[in-house]
Amino acid sequence: MEEWRYIQGLLDKIRSTGMGGISADDPAAIEKLQKKLDGLERSQLIMKEVNAYYRKHGKLDGCALLSPDQIEKLKASMASSWRSDPRPFESYQLTNNNAEIRRVKARIEQLSKQAQQEFSGWEFDGGRVEMNREDNRLQVFFDGKPDADTRAELKSSGFRWAPSVGAWQRQLTDNAIRAADRLECIKPLSGEKPSQLQKKPSILQTMREQGEKVQTEPEKKAPSGRDAER
């Protein structure tokens, strides 16, 4: 256990990246994840190179990839290992680190896809749904207070009441849209599923654009003289 703790601490130092959770709500989430990924990939390369150096020279002394202090600690760890042929970094460490690389890559891909996706809100009987990209929230606004059954239905689908904005909301993700598909209480007036509306312009946006178009269009003058006769 002591060896495991030491190795984990050494890997953290080599990676030089934060290992804390990165929330999708963080505007810099992709940037932070990319930084973490760079550190993990650098760590993987270093571990492989250190192992290769050890295989070639049979020792760690003189390895430019490690500081003198790291070399001494690795040597001590290898000397106390129960393995008959210990290596500076064992295969399970490379495997675990590689698995974390794949996980972070998948997370970056997911958030990048989500950032490019255009979500559309809709109106339902008794309120409206808005996609708040700035706060990364799917928000449900009711004209009045929903009944107990509706509130229970929203809660069971991951929505929570946010008094600060006066809406029921949850994180804006594909899962949120799928959850909305199952909620009869916020079913779009068009009769379509919320997921189907995501391929179309926002209903609210379309209505606003049409209203602006009517206001900005110049009034047509009534024809006069010969034009009127024609």
Side-chain angles (χ1 to χ4, degrees), residues 24-210:
D25 293 342
D26 190 339
I30 294 178
E31 181 182 350
K32 290 180 179 179
L33 284 169
Q34 186 60 55
K35 183 178 179 180
K36 179 176 180 178
L37 177 61
D38 293 342
L40 290 168
E41 290 178 334
R42 185 168 59 252
S43 170
Q44 192 78 354
L45 179 60
I46 289 174
M47 288 191 289
K48 288 181 178 180
E49 291 295 327
V50 169
N51 281 351
Y53 181 92
Y54 181 76
R55 285 195 304 271
K56 181 177 180 180
H57 300 280
K59 61 180 182 179
L60 288 173
D61 296 307
C63 181
L65 293 170
L66 299 172
S67 68
D69 183 55
Q70 289 173 332
I71 289 175
E72 292 304 316
K73 288 182 178 180
L74 274 178
K75 287 166 63 176
S77 175
M78 293 169 65
S80 62
S81 175
W82 56 269
R83 299 175 185 273
S84 59
D85 184 24
R87 289 177 289 181
F89 297 101
E90 299 296 343
S91 58
Y92 76 88
Q93 294 172 269
L94 292 164
T95 299
N96 291 346
N97 194 66
N98 201 40
E100 181 68 0
I101 287 174
R102 292 195 299 270
R103 188 193 71 80
V104 173
K105 282 184 176 180
R107 185 67 173 149
I108 291 174
E109 183 179 355
Q110 177 190 6
L111 291 180
S112 298
K113 180 181 177 181
Q114 182 177 321
Q116 296 172 359
Q117 186 174 356
E118 292 296 333
F119 290 105
S120 299
W122 65 90
E123 289 188 335
F124 60 89
D125 186 14
R128 71 187 190 281
V129 173
E130 292 187 2
M131 307 298 186
N132 189 330
R133 293 305 300 265
E134 183 177 349
D135 293 338
N136 195 31
R137 291 289 183 272
L138 185 154
Q139 298 176 325
V140 182
F141 296 89
F142 288 91
D143 296 337
K145 183 177 180 179
D147 57 38
D149 289 340
T150 299
R151 297 198 301 272
E153 189 178 5
L154 288 165
K155 289 179 181 179
S156 65
S157 297
F159 288 86
R160 295 294 178 267
W161 172 246
S164 60
V165 293
W168 289 82
Q169 62 181 20
R170 61 173 289 176
Q171 193 175 57
L172 181 55
T173 62
D174 290 336
N175 285 337
I177 301 299
R178 285 191 283 270
D181 280 346
R182 300 189 294 269
L183 290 173
E184 286 294 324
C185 60
I186 59 172
K187 184 177 180 180
L189 291 177
S190 63
E192 298 171 285
K193 291 184 176 181
S195 58
Q196 294 174 317
L197 296 176
Q198 304 319 303
K199 301 177 182 179
K200 302 178 180 181
S202 166
I203 296 176
L204 296 176
Q205 180 182 351
T206 301
M207 293 176 64
R208 294 192 188 102
E209 290 177 352
Q210 289 178 344

